[in-house]
Each structure stands twice: as structure tokens, then as C-alpha cells.
Amino acid sequence: MNLSQLPRLRRSAPATADVSGYRADIDGLRALAILLVVVYHVWLGRVSGGVDVFLMVSAFFLTSSFVRRAQGERGLQLGAFWLRRFRRLLPAAAVTIVGVLAVVLLTYPQTEWPRVWREAWSSLFYVENWTLAFSEVDYYARASATPSPFQHFWSLSVQGQVFLLWPLLIGAVWLVLRRRRHLLVPALFAVFGAVFVISLGFSVIETAREQSFAYFDTRTRLWEFAAGSLIALALPYLRVPAWSAAVLGWVGVVGIVLCGIVIDVQGGFPGYLALWPVVCTALVIIAGRDRAPGGPTVFLSSRPLRFVSRDAYALYLVHWPVLITWMVLSGRSEPGLLAGLGIVLVSFVLARLLSSFVERPIREARVLDTSHRRGGAVLIAAVLVVVVPLVAWQVTVDRRTAALQASDTGGYPGAAQIDTPIDLAGVELPLMPLATALDDEWVDLGSSCTGALAPADRALEGSCSQTALASDPSIRRVLVMGDSHAQQLMSPLRAFVEDEDEDWGLIALLKGGCSIAIGAPSWSTSGSSCDEWRAAAIDYALRLQPDAVYLVVTRASPTSPEVLLEGIEDVAAAFTDRGIEVIAVRDNPRFEFDMYECVLDEEASCEVADVGLADDAALAAFAERDGVLAVDFRPWLCPEGICTGVIGNIAVYIDDNHLSDMYGRTLAPMLQAMIDDAGALTSGSR
């Protein structure tokens, strides 16, 4: 449609985009979408595309409402709109959040608590989509066997952000054209058309480049909202023959039902593939405008769908936590027919309770419509319902953690228990680190590299850190390079440096998923490529000329023998040829299960035989090179060839393959002995 025609067409068309008043068929469409979401989640383990229907329909109604206001005399009343909208949404969401928190406290593993806390805050303030997006590309985000019980709040967060943005866009256009209202619809058509084109283009590019981030990115979803707005603006001017409307409507309904089966929604959205549910939704909205005979309007307006529609929002809120809690309690990821029916039945009951006692009473209370102060009080109360217990829970756990860490019981020998065991029989001490403190176990040197130590190459941006003394070139300096295993195996080195009487400087170039060996596999998901990062890191080290570099030179595997990293000999030679000593560290074991969670399970057996090296001679030959010091912590990780998760009351691992910092620090005396025995790090003393 040509935009220039809109003002002329307006004379023969209704003056508002909301030409049909209440649309029972669209209510039914929302009910159908939530049923698809529930069915796909529970039984198919897939994403249905139903959420995309919600996004578009919400923008359709929002735009219709605001265009009607803009063309009236009362103005937009943005404050009143936001207060009403979030008064309807937030209380039910808050009750759901606090209910999930209670269930998590009683039934979920403590290792899940920090993630649940973080996402509860994000869900309450409508930023859960960004929390999930950044965790998807965060190499250090703790992996979990089950999804978060708040994961479904991502779409509600995107909607909440659009409920703030869309009125501002419409309000800006209204301010400019309030005296020329006949241009309002064409101008909005241009604005939302631009949003549609720009956002869709960005969505296609980002989905191809980083789909896991794009899925939750608000910017990649704006075009779906814009499509709903464009349909709302164009609908008064569209005329479709009755038979065509009926066919198009059924095509739309069938397309929405089949979307999640035909397309990989979770793995391919929200790029151009998301046009499928968006176009199908548009067809249903257009087809139902005049209730075409033979179309899907009667089906979508039927009593069963209207029954579901009453509780659609509440059902969306509760069904996902019910499903995830079942997974946690049962230890299974796929419910069968009977378990699935139980999950759906519980979800419907909880949804009806939530809708009947929270959502509808607050939404329909006229006393709240007549007083902004009372409406605001409801929002504040909803926030406090979550904030008070959540803060109390976190503070209680933090105080307990601090008290345990400050206590000097002598009951945590860690690695020292292997060589000089003490009697721990009958000692009732909690495992350290605590399950809620695992995020603090990543080794950190304290500050980013500054001054002369700051990397010039952009490929190293954000990957360099240092201790306070490292900036002084007159002291001995060690550079740690590599991936997250180099980071965690740096823990004994950091403790050794801190305990030394002489001044030492420690610098680290670390990138999760990127081994320092040229040609090694890459697991990094963000930033510069591993090949680019490695080349820049080696060049940095050669310019810095530290006394030594600290490298992990092997790669372990849960099921196959450990191997010397391909290309590590060339990397080591580049350093030793320049007089830089190489501290060659053997990788720690890796497992097929989360070792920390295993040791929490009193009935589980967590002992694993050390797989060993594929070629002992290769590592021995590498260690015999001039300027190379071999460091092997295996005797204190797998004593007598058996790897275990707890030594000396300290958890050795924080997941399935990374050492805990707390245990790593107890390896410092062993590292010092190896360095002293080899006479390393003495010739380079400044």
C-alpha cells in the first residue's frame, strides 16, 4: 500500500485502527498459542513459535489503542497507561516469582541458588532476556542439567521493554503532528515500517553470527512488534473477499500449529525464519476482521479457547516452573504421557488460582483506576513481595558463607592431606567452597592490565589482568597464558607468589575456550577468534619478555587418554629461544558429570580412575627441553591413580572440569617445591 494514499482512504474508512472493537478470535488465537507453547514444552521438548504470536498480537492491540487515543481529544496519558499495564502484569508475575523461590529453597540443589537469585531479580525488573542472552555467550556461566525455572520470563521482559518504548515512539509522532492528525497514521506507518526493516535486517545478521544471543536480544525482536503495529494501522483500509479471507485465515492457523514442527524455532529464530509465525498471525488477524463465513473465527471464538484465554497469561507464567521442577525432582528431562498430563493439570489449576485471586481482581478493581496513588501502591507492594524474601535469603546465605570462611578450624587441609594426612574422622564441617559460592571460585588477579602492560592489539581486549606489583619492571614477572584451565591452574601460582618474601609480579592473558597452542581446538563463543587471540598473545609475551610463561601443555578428556597439545612445542621454542622460561603444566582431569554436584549426593560414587597419557614419552621429551619446567599436580588430584571430588574437606572441582580456587591454593607448596627442585625462576631475577 502506498503511504500517500492513506489520508485519502481515511475519508471512507474508520478513523481508528481499532475498527472491530473486541476481537474474540484474537483472544482465541492467544489461547491457541499458549496451548501450543505448553504442549511443545511438555511433550515435544521444542519451542513452538507461539511466543512470536504473543509478541505480534500485543503490539497489534497496543498500537490500536494508542492510535485511537491519539486521534481523540484526551491525549495519550502515558503515565496512566504504564501504571495500568504494569499493574495488570506485575502482581501475578511477582506471586509466581516468589512461589518459584520457595520451591527452589525447598527442593532445588544449592548449586542452582545463585542462578535462581540472579534471574529472579532480572525477571522482576523485566530484563531476564538480557541476562539469558549474556549467559549464552559467557564461557564462564555455570552449566546446568536443567533450564532455569525463570527462563520463560525472557519474552515477558521483551514485552515489558516494548510497552515502555512503543508509547514513547507513538507519543513523539503525536507531539509533532498533533495539529495535523490526518498525517498521524501515515507517519506511524513510516516509523514502524522503518523499525520493521532495520530490526529484521539486524535480526538476520545477528542470528547468523550469534544465534544463541540473538534469540533473547530485544533488538532482534522489535520487527515482530512492528509487524503487529503495521497490521493495526493498515487493517481499517484492507478489503479482502470473504472466500479469500476464509482460506487465508485457515492457512494462518494451520501454519501457527505446524511452525514448531517444521522449523527449528529455538535454533533458527528470530531471523527470517520467524517470518513464518508472524505472517501466519497477520493472516488470522486480517481474515477475522469481517468474520468471513467458513473462516477460523468460529473456531478461535469457541468456548474451549475462550476458557483457556481467561487464564492465558497465568498459564504461561506457571507452566514452565512446574515443568522444570518436575525435571529436578524426577531426575528426568522428558515426561511421558501420564507425567505430562499431570504437569499440564497442575499448571491449569495454579493458573486458575493465580488468575482468580491475583490477576483479575487487581486488573478489574475500579478503585485502582480512579487513583494513581493506589495503583502505584499496588506496584510497590508487588515488588516488595519478591524483594523482601529474596534479599533476606541472599543475606542469610552470604553471612553464613562469610562466617565459615573466616573460621580457623584447621579442618580444611586440602592437598596437604595427601602427603601429611591428619585425622578428620568425626570432624563435622561443611564442604568448602559452599555450593552457593562457586561463582567466586574463578581465579582473578584483581585488576585489568594498565600502563605499559595494557595490550595494544584489540584481539586481546578484556583478556589481560595483573597483580598490583606487576607494573614494576624491576621485579620478577610470570605471564600466565591460555584458557580457563590455565586460569584455574594459576591458583597455586598466585598463592605461591603471594606467600613469597621477594617481590613478584603476575600477569595473565586468558580467554575461555582458547588454548595457547597453535592449531589447538577452539571452544570460545565470543570476541575475537582463538587463532587471532593466540597470535596476539604470543606477540605480547615476546615484547613483554617476562621471566617465565606459565602454560597448560596437555589436554585431558573424560574418556580418552590425555594428549600433548598440538603445536605447543613451537610455542615453547619461541619463548625459550628468547631466554624466557616455560613452566609447562599438565592439564587437570575432566569428567562426564559435574563432580561438585556428585560429592553433594551422599549416595553417589564419585571416584574415577585416571585415564592417563596417550604418550608418556612425548610429554617426557617435551619436559627435557632446555628452559622448560614440567609441573604435574596429578599426585594431589588423583592420588594412587583415583580421581575424586573431595580431598581434605575441600571440593577439588567446581564443575565437570575446572579446579576450585580454594583447592588450587592448597597446591601452592607443591608448586614451590617443584620450582625450587628445578632451580627455576632464579637466573631471571632482576
Side-chain angles (χ1 to χ4, degrees):
M1 180 180 296
N2 191 318
L3 292 182
S4 63
Q5 295 177 323
L6 288 178
R8 181 162 42 84
L9 287 171
R10 181 177 174 274
R11 297 171 188 164
S12 58
T16 175
D18 189 16
V19 296
S20 53
Y22 171 70
R23 291 282 299 269
D25 60 320
I26 298 182
D27 256 357
L29 178 61
R30 288 195 289 195
L32 176 63
I34 183 59
L35 287 175
L36 289 174
V37 169
V38 173
V39 168
Y40 273 68
H41 281 166
V42 172
W43 281 295
L44 302 181
R46 293 171 65 92
V47 179
S48 66
V51 167
D52 301 86
V53 176
F54 299 152
L55 303 185
M56 186 172 173
V57 167
S58 65
F60 172 83
F61 282 125
L62 179 65
T63 305
S64 298
S65 172
F66 266 97
V67 170
R68 183 172 63 250
R69 295 184 190 189
Q71 292 176 335
E73 300 296 332
R74 297 180 59 187
L76 299 183
Q77 299 178 315
L78 298 186
F81 163 78
W82 284 322
L83 190 61
R84 259 193 327 272
R85 180 54 57 98
F86 287 102
R87 192 189 78 208
R88 179 199 170 195
L89 298 175
L90 187 57
V95 170
T96 302
I97 292 171
V98 78
V100 171
L101 291 176
V103 172
V104 169
L105 173 63
L106 296 174
T107 63
Y108 280 49
Q110 292 186 29
T111 52
E112 293 293 317
W113 289 4
R115 178 177 67 156
V116 168
W117 295 337
R118 183 168 55 250
E119 294 191 23
W121 286 111
S122 299
S123 299
L124 179 64
F125 293 107
Y126 291 91
V127 291
E128 170 69 349
N129 64 309
W130 291 112
T131 296
L132 293 173
F134 285 109
S135 68
E136 285 292 326
V137 296
D138 181 4
Y139 182 86
Y140 296 93
R142 180 174 172 80
S144 178
T146 56
S148 163
F150 292 122
Q151 184 169 299
H152 64 314
F153 270 85
W154 77 265
S155 64
L156 302 178
S157 297
V158 173
Q159 283 184 300
Q161 293 159 34
V162 169
F163 289 154
L164 293 175
L165 175 61
W166 248 229
L168 292 176
L169 286 178
I170 297 173
V173 174
W174 176 79
L175 281 176
V176 174
L177 299 175
R178 62 185 181 278
R179 296 182 181 177
R180 305 179 66 185
R181 295 182 185 177
H182 64 286
L183 296 177
L184 183 65
V185 170
L188 288 174
F189 208 102
V191 169
F192 289 120
V195 172
F196 179 89
V197 171
I198 295 171
S199 175
L200 177 57
F202 177 78
S203 179
V204 170
I205 294 171
E206 186 172 84
T207 300
R209 183 178 58 195
E210 190 61 71
Q211 189 274 334
S212 58
F213 187 92
Y215 190 87
F216 300 110
D217 189 339
T218 303
R219 299 167 298 176
T220 64
R221 298 285 182 171
L222 291 179
W223 67 271
E224 298 183 76
F225 291 94
S229 296
L230 292 173
I231 293 296
L233 294 168
L235 193 61
Y237 313 105
L238 295 177
R239 292 292 183 270
V240 181
W243 67 271
S244 297
V247 171
L248 292 177
W250 282 114
V251 167
V253 170
V254 173
I256 290 170
V257 172
L258 295 179
C259 177
I261 296 176
V262 176
I263 298 176
D264 178 12
V265 175
Q266 186 158 347
F269 273 33
Y272 64 90
L273 290 177
L275 284 166
W276 179 305
V278 168
V279 170
C280 289
T281 303
L283 293 179
V284 174
I285 293 174
I286 293 170
R289 180 186 185 278
D290 297 316
R291 298 178 62 88
T297 302
V298 174
F299 163 68
L300 294 174
S301 305
S302 63
R303 186 182 297 273
L305 287 181
R306 290 171 63 188
F307 176 83
V308 174
S309 178
R310 291 182 60 196
D311 306 322
Y313 175 55
L315 182 59
Y316 183 81
L317 285 173
V318 303
H319 86 281
W320 183 257
V322 171
L323 173 62
I324 301 306
T325 300
W326 176 86
M327 290 181 181
V328 170
L329 295 177
S330 68
R332 295 162 53 192
S333 59
E334 297 181 1
L337 177 61
L338 292 179
L341 287 173
I343 291 169
V344 172
L345 178 61
V346 170
S347 298
F348 267 98
V349 171
L350 292 177
R352 173 50 56 94
L353 294 173
L354 185 62
S355 179
S356 298
F357 293 102
V358 180
E359 181 194 357
R360 281 206 303 274
I362 294 176
R363 183 185 65 202
E364 297 171 359
R366 293 185 178 181
V367 67
L368 299 179
D369 288 328
T370 58
S371 171
H372 293 340
R373 182 175 297 177
R374 294 192 187 98
V378 169
L379 291 182
I380 294 173
V383 170
L384 291 178
V385 162
V386 176
V387 169
V388 171
L390 183 53
V391 169
W393 186 6
Q394 289 187 259
V395 168
T396 300
V397 171
D398 288 345
R399 287 178 176 174
R400 176 172 177 260
T401 302
L404 286 171
Q405 291 176 341
S407 62
D408 183 14
T409 64
Y412 294 99
Q417 183 70 7
I418 302 301
D419 297 328
T420 55
I422 62 175
D423 185 10
L424 296 176
V427 176
E428 296 294 335
L429 291 172
L431 177 70
M432 296 291 280
L434 296 178
T436 52
L438 297 184
D439 289 343
D440 299 327
E441 287 298 299
W442 292 103
V443 183
D444 182 19
L445 295 187
S447 61
S448 299
C449 296
T450 59
L453 296 181
D457 197 314
R458 293 189 62 184
L460 301 179
E461 185 177 353
S463 66
C464 187
S465 60
Q466 66 170 90
T467 57
L469 296 176
S471 297
D472 184 355
S474 67
I475 65 174
R476 290 181 292 181
R477 298 194 288 195
V478 180
L479 173 63
V480 181
M481 307 170 68
D483 57 11
S484 58
H485 279 236
Q487 179 174 348
Q488 294 309 96
L489 286 165
M490 175 176 67
S491 180
L493 176 64
R494 186 188 61 172
F496 162 61
V497 167
E498 291 172 352
D499 291 341
E500 281 290 285
D501 294 332
E502 300 176 78
D503 289 339
W504 285 74
L506 199 56
I507 308 155
L509 278 176
L510 302 166
K511 183 174 175 64
C514 291
S515 166
I516 196 60
I518 298 173
S522 302
W523 287 270
S524 178
T525 58
S526 61
S528 58
S529 70
C530 285
D531 289 339
E532 183 182 2
W533 180 85
R534 288 182 190 118
I538 293 171
D539 185 58
Y540 174 94
L542 294 176
R543 288 199 307 270
L544 180 66
Q545 283 292 116
D547 294 279
V549 291
Y550 189 87
L551 313 175
V552 175
V553 299
T554 65
R555 176 172 176 81
S557 169
T559 56
S560 57
E562 181 183 0
V563 297
L564 190 68
L565 286 173
E566 180 181 356
I568 194 63
E569 297 97 332
D570 295 333
V571 174
F575 295 135
T576 56
D577 289 347
R578 295 285 192 93
I580 303 171
E581 293 186 73
V582 173
I583 303 175
V585 184
R586 188 179 172 190
D587 195 12
N588 62 262
R590 304 173 191 233
F591 309 98
E592 294 185 286
F593 55 90
D594 189 313
M595 183 61 84
Y596 188 94
E597 292 189 355
C598 181
V599 299
L600 292 181
D601 185 350
E602 296 179 357
E603 299 179 359
S605 174
C606 306
E607 294 186 344
V608 179
D610 189 1
V611 178
L613 284 159
D615 188 353
D616 294 292
L619 182 58
F622 179 80
E624 290 174 358
R625 291 168 173 251
D626 290 339
V628 174
L629 164 64
V631 171
D632 186 357
F633 294 116
R634 285 300 174 98
W636 301 277
L637 300 177
C638 303
E640 299 182 0
I642 301 298
C643 308
T644 186
V646 179
I647 297 176
N649 274 352
I650 299 178
V652 183
Y653 304 92
I654 58 175
D655 51 28
D656 61 347
N657 70 106
H658 293 101
L659 288 184
S660 70
D661 181 32
M662 187 170 291
Y663 188 79
R665 295 180 72 87
T666 68
L667 291 168
M670 295 73 175
L671 175 62
Q672 182 173 4
M674 285 183 268
I675 290 175
D676 291 344
D677 290 346
L681 295 178
T682 56
S683 60
S685 180
R686 313 290 170 94

